[in-house]
């Protein structure tokens, strides 16, 4: 088996998973277990293979697909932000907004406003650019805003407790 065959198998695997997730997009209870059952593999097999190919967990993969579809719907101005959140399988509008902002760097309402404004003025806006999620920036930002969520996790995970403690003691 050549590396091209192997790459083709990986692409087929990802396409099959995307197809399954997209058919169950509106089902907010559709998760890792349901995807594994529908695909015909165990959760751990699915996780290992997806982690090897894409470097992300199965739940991250599902969330990314949901957010990508939400972005498409927002750009087409299909419905309101909360309606789109429920259409792509998020049960909480605030969680959808948080995930969307972390993934794309701006709120879903801003995309909706851009598409509405673009339709009326016929000027083009740059398309959404996906930016990688940086947990350190997120935790620092929350701490700076007076919301010390995950502060102890930050110290433990980053192994920079001395540096952080020095920053806090000023």
């Amino acid at each position: 088996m050549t590396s091209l065959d192997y790459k083709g198998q990986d692409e087929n695997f990802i396409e099959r998973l995307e197809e399954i997730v997209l058919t169950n997009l509106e089902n907010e209870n559709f998760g890792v277990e349901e995807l594994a059952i529908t695909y015909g593999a165990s959760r751990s097999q699915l996780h290992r293979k997806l982690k090897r190919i894409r470097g992300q967990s199965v739940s991250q993969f599902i969330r990314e697909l949901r957010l990508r579809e939400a972005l498409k719907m927002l750009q087409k101005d299909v419905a309101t932000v909360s309606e789109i959140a429920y259409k792509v399988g998020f049960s909480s509008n605030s969680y959808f907004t948080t995930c969307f902002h972390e993934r794309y760097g701006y709120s879903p309402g801003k995309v909706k406003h851009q598409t509405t404004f673009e339709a009326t003025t016929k000027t083009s806006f740059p398309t959404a650019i996906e930016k990688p999620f940086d947990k350190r920036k997120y935790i620092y930002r929350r701490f700076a805003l007076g919301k010390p969520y995950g502060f102890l996790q930050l110290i433990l995970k980053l192994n920079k407790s001395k540096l952080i403690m020095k920053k806090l003691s000023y």
Side-chain angles (χ1 to χ4, degrees):
M1 181 182 297
T2 66
S3 63
L4 289 175
D5 293 336
Y6 194 65
K7 187 168 183 144
Q9 287 179 351
D10 290 347
E11 289 173 3
N12 289 339
F13 170 73
I14 296 296
E15 286 174 8
R16 176 79 172 112
L17 290 183
E18 285 181 0
E19 179 185 319
I20 293 170
V21 172
L22 292 176
T23 55
N24 294 290
L25 193 63
E26 290 187 24
N27 182 2
E28 66 186 46
N29 296 320
F30 185 80
V32 178
E33 187 68 36
E34 292 78 12
L35 180 60
I37 291 169
T38 308
Y39 182 74
S42 71
R43 291 178 58 188
S44 56
Q45 284 177 321
L46 203 58
H47 178 76
R48 279 193 305 266
K49 194 166 185 178
L50 197 57
K51 194 74 165 175
R52 179 181 55 80
I53 296 169
R54 299 281 292 263
Q56 60 186 171
S57 69
V58 181
S59 60
Q60 289 171 331
F61 176 76
I62 293 170
R63 189 178 324 116
E64 182 180 295
L65 282 176
R66 289 177 189 235
L67 291 171
R68 187 178 71 195
E69 290 303 309
L71 179 65
K72 289 178 186 176
M73 288 181 187
L74 285 166
Q75 288 174 336
K76 291 179 183 175
D77 199 20
V78 175
T80 65
V81 173
S82 57
E83 289 171 345
I84 289 173
Y86 293 113
K87 282 185 180 182
V88 295
F90 283 89
S91 59
S92 167
N93 195 22
S94 60
Y95 180 63
F96 167 72
T97 304
T98 303
C99 290
F100 192 92
H101 190 274
E102 287 173 0
R103 180 74 181 141
Y104 296 110
Y106 46 83
S107 67
K110 203 170 211 176
V111 176
K112 186 127 176 94
H113 175 71
Q114 283 179 353
T115 55
T116 306
F117 184 72
E118 184 177 324
T120 58
T121 61
K122 304 229 190 252
T123 57
S124 64
F125 285 89
T127 57
I129 299 171
E130 295 183 11
K131 66 176 195 173
F133 176 65
D134 187 1
K135 186 156 183 112
R136 280 178 264 145
K137 282 184 181 178
Y138 175 72
I139 293 173
Y140 280 128
R141 193 176 332 125
R142 286 194 56 100
F143 187 75
L145 293 173
K147 302 174 185 174
Y149 167 80
F151 179 67
L152 293 176
Q153 288 178 335
L154 176 69
I155 292 173
L156 296 172
K157 284 187 177 181
L158 300 178
N159 291 328
K160 297 180 182 177
S161 59
K162 291 180 184 176
L163 176 66
I164 293 168
M165 292 307 238
K166 285 180 185 176
K167 285 183 178 180
L168 293 176
S169 61
Y170 57 92

